[in-house]
């Protein structure tokens, strides 16, 4: 037998929890801005107000949440500490600042706000890359760590693109054509956020589903193909080189397809019943498939520029929905786990009924289900609004997202108080292993 | 010694996986218990996966549970990864409580 195992490598609970709390507020802000930008999302998807909403969702919500998860997940999986806890806290503040300054600057200025947001985002990305390079330099950790090395590189690349675009607003080096905006969007959504999720899922899915999959290769194919395809796709879009975008797009498609195969394999080999997380995963996957479909249609359909703009807008919206539902679903696992650790360190290890404390004691199920519905319906309404030109649909969709941010934030924030709440089902205590 | 071993397993049956709501003995996470008058109690246990979220808490809780049940004995808990845990290590009741008894053909 090989002795050994993880020791206390994770940062203090306040680090990831601060990120995730800020992300819930970011989700509220995203919905709020989408509500007000509903008319622009529907009619002119690249209007500054629509761009503002997208940046709010991708930075203030998704990037903050994903960075928080990485500051917890990286050390756990690699068994190596962050380089600096203080740097982890700095990254949170800087990314939150970028996530709110940039969208506000895009929507109604002043210009210094955009510049400050760009500088703040760049600082956050660089410090995060340095800090996470500690755990990510581990020789253990397999496919998830490999994927995270690539995705953090994409984070730096995405922010570098963004900084150039911010400076370009002053210097006017080049016109910010839609294809250049799209290059940036795909770098961020597929290379940074998407690849991070695809990588982390290879660890989380088998764990949460108790799925034993010896020899499964789909996860590795997903990470390698998506990681290698996103850059040529973005460069092809950036420089309008169709064949390069197609090669990159094909590789990204292979990667996302393998990711879906990996999910199917985990579900097939699961050793526990499906639960709420899996409903989140199902909704998230549905939006990924929609995003892929509209992305392919935008690339190949023989349509006018306006229609193509709508197709691309729906693709981007669906990819944000894919990631948002995945993040929200996994937050209902990650936050209770961190709170559990925190409570145990304070000596709270029992439910009021006397049995040991469980993760499931630390949030209420009804609000968690409500969040799932609000997010799924909210994104559905926004996409339907974009496709049909209906401003009310898009606006109500934004409102639904905003409410989901409040619900998930409150539900998970008050988890530790629920440890003193009502009873939950008795577990199996079946005696010695046969 | 058999009586001590039984009491160790009994104590470990009170330690639950906080995600699965099943005790660690029923899950098959406890690989071996050795009782020696000189060395005390040595427990080999594993986790459902390396990098498991409770990789710090569960072994500590197992050690504490046994130390509370048998305060006169020194207790050592070792995490082992070989052989890796598989769901087939669960006992019948654990598998049924997770709703996968038929899936595991037990």
């Amino acid at each position: 037998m090989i002795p050994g195992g993880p020791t206390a490598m994770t940062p203090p609970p306040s680090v990831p929890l601060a990120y995730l709390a800020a992300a819930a507020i970011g989700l509220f802000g995203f919905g709020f801005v989408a509500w007000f930008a509903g008319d622009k999302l529907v009619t002119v998807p690249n209007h500054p107000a629509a761009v503002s909403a997208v940046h709010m969702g991708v930075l203030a919500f998704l990037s903050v949440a994903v960075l928080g998860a990485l500051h917890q997940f990286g050390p756990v999986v690699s068994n190596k500490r962050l380089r600096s806890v203080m740097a982890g806290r700095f990254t949170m503040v800087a990314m939150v600042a970028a996530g709110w300054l940039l969208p506000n600057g895009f929507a109604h200025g002043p210009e210094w706000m955009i510049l400050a947001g760009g500088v703040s985002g760049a600082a956050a990305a660089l410090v995060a890359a340095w800090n996470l390079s500690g755990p990510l330099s581990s020789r253990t950790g397999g496919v998830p760590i490999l994927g995270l090395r690539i995705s953090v590189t994409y984070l730096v690349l995405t922010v570098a693109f963004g900084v150039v675009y911010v400076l370009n607003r002053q210097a006017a080096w080049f016109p910010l054509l839609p294809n250049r905006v799209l290059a940036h969007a795909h770098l961020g959504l597929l290379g940074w956020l998407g690849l991070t999720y695809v990588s982390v899922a290879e660890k989380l899915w088998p764990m949460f589903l108790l799925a034993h999959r010896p020899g499964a290769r789909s996860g590795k194919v997903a990470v390698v193909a998506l990681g290698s395809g996103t850059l040529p796709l973005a460069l092809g879009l950036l420089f309008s080189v169709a064949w390069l975008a197609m090669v990159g797009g094909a590789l990204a498609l292979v990667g996302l397809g393998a990711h879906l195969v990996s999910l199917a394999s985990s579900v097939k080999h699961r050793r526990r019943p499906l639960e709420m997380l899996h409903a989140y995963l199902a909704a998230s996957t549905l939006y990924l498939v929609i995003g892929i479909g509209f992305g392919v249609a935008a690339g190949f359909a023989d349509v006018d520029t306006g229609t193509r703009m709508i197709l691309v807008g729906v693709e981007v919206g669906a990819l944000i929905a894919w990631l948002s539902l995945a993040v929200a679903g996994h937050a209902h696992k990650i936050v209770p786990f961190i709170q559990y650790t925190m409570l145990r360190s304070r000596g709270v290890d029992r439910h009021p009924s006397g049995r040991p404390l469980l993760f499931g004691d630390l949030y209420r199920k009804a609000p968690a289900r409500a969040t799932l519905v609000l997010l799924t319906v909210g994104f559905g309404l926004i996409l339907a609004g974009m496709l049909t030109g209906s401003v009310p649909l898009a606006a109500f969709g934004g409102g639904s997202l905003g409410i989901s941010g409040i619900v998930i934030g409150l539900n998970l924030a008050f988890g530790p108080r629920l440890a003193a709440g009502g009873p939950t089902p008795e577990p199996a205590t079946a005696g010695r292993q046969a | 010694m058999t009586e001590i071993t039984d009491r160790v397993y009994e104590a470990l049956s009170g330690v639950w996986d906080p995600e699965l709501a099943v005790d660690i003995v029923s899950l098959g996470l406890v690989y071996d218990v050795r009782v020696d008058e000189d060395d005390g109690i040595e427990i080999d246990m594993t986790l459902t996966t390396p990098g498991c979220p409770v990789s710090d808490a569960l072994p500590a809780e197992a050690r504490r549970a046994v130390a509370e049940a048998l305060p006169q004995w020194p207790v050592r808990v070792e995490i082992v990864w070989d052989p890796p845990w598989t769901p087939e290590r669960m006992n019948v009741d654990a598998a049924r409580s997770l709703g996968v008894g038929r899936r595991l053909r037990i």
Side-chain angles (χ1 to χ4, degrees), chain A residues 1 3, chain B residues 4-5 7-13 15 24-25 29-36 39-46 58-67 70 73-80:
Chain A
M1 292 195 177
Chain B
I4 299 294
T5 305
R7 288 178 64 189
V8 170
Y9 274 104
E10 190 182 334
L12 292 173
S13 294
V15 179
I24 61 174
V25 177
L29 296 180
V30 179
Y31 280 179
D32 194 19
V33 172
R34 297 180 296 277
V35 181
D36 184 283
D39 296 336
I41 297 168
E42 290 184 350
I43 299 162
D44 287 341
M45 68 173 285
T46 192
L58 220 48
E61 195 171 333
R63 189 197 164 283
R64 194 183 66 172
V66 176
L70 298 157
W73 289 80
V75 182
R76 202 158 62 91
V77 175
E78 195 82 54
I79 295 293
V80 295

Side-chain angles (χ1 to χ4, degrees), chain A residues 1-10 76-77 203 207-208 210-212 267-273 275 333 337 340-341 344 349-350 355-360 425-434, chain B residues 6 9 13-14 16-23 25-26 28 31 44 48-57 61 64 78-83 85-91 93 97-100 103-104:
Chain A
M1 292 195 177
I2 304 166
T7 54
M9 290 294 161
T10 52
V76 168
V77 173
K203 182 71 188 175
M207 190 166 74
F208 288 139
L210 284 185
H212 189 54
V267 170
K268 182 183 172 189
H269 291 95
R270 74 185 187 277
R271 293 292 185 267
R272 60 182 303 192
E275 53 168 350
K333 291 283 183 187
F337 150 63
Y340 171 90
T341 310
R344 283 188 54 82
D349 61 356
R350 297 265 152 191
R355 61 153 172 75
L357 191 64
L358 304 174
F359 293 165
E426 285 297 312
T429 45
R432 197 191 299 195
Q433 175 74 10
Chain B
D6 286 345
Y9 274 104
S13 294
W16 294 5
D17 181 310
E19 163 69 8
L20 301 174
V22 177
D23 73 273
V25 177
S26 300
Y31 280 179
D44 287 341
T48 53
T49 178
C52 172
V54 289
S55 54
D56 293 330
E61 195 171 333
R64 194 183 66 172
E78 195 82 54
I79 295 293
V80 295
W81 299 109
D82 184 24
W85 181 86
T86 65
E88 284 69 20
R89 289 183 175 273
M90 285 187 280
N91 70 14
D93 291 346
S97 80
L98 292 175
V100 293
R103 187 175 281 268
L104 291 175

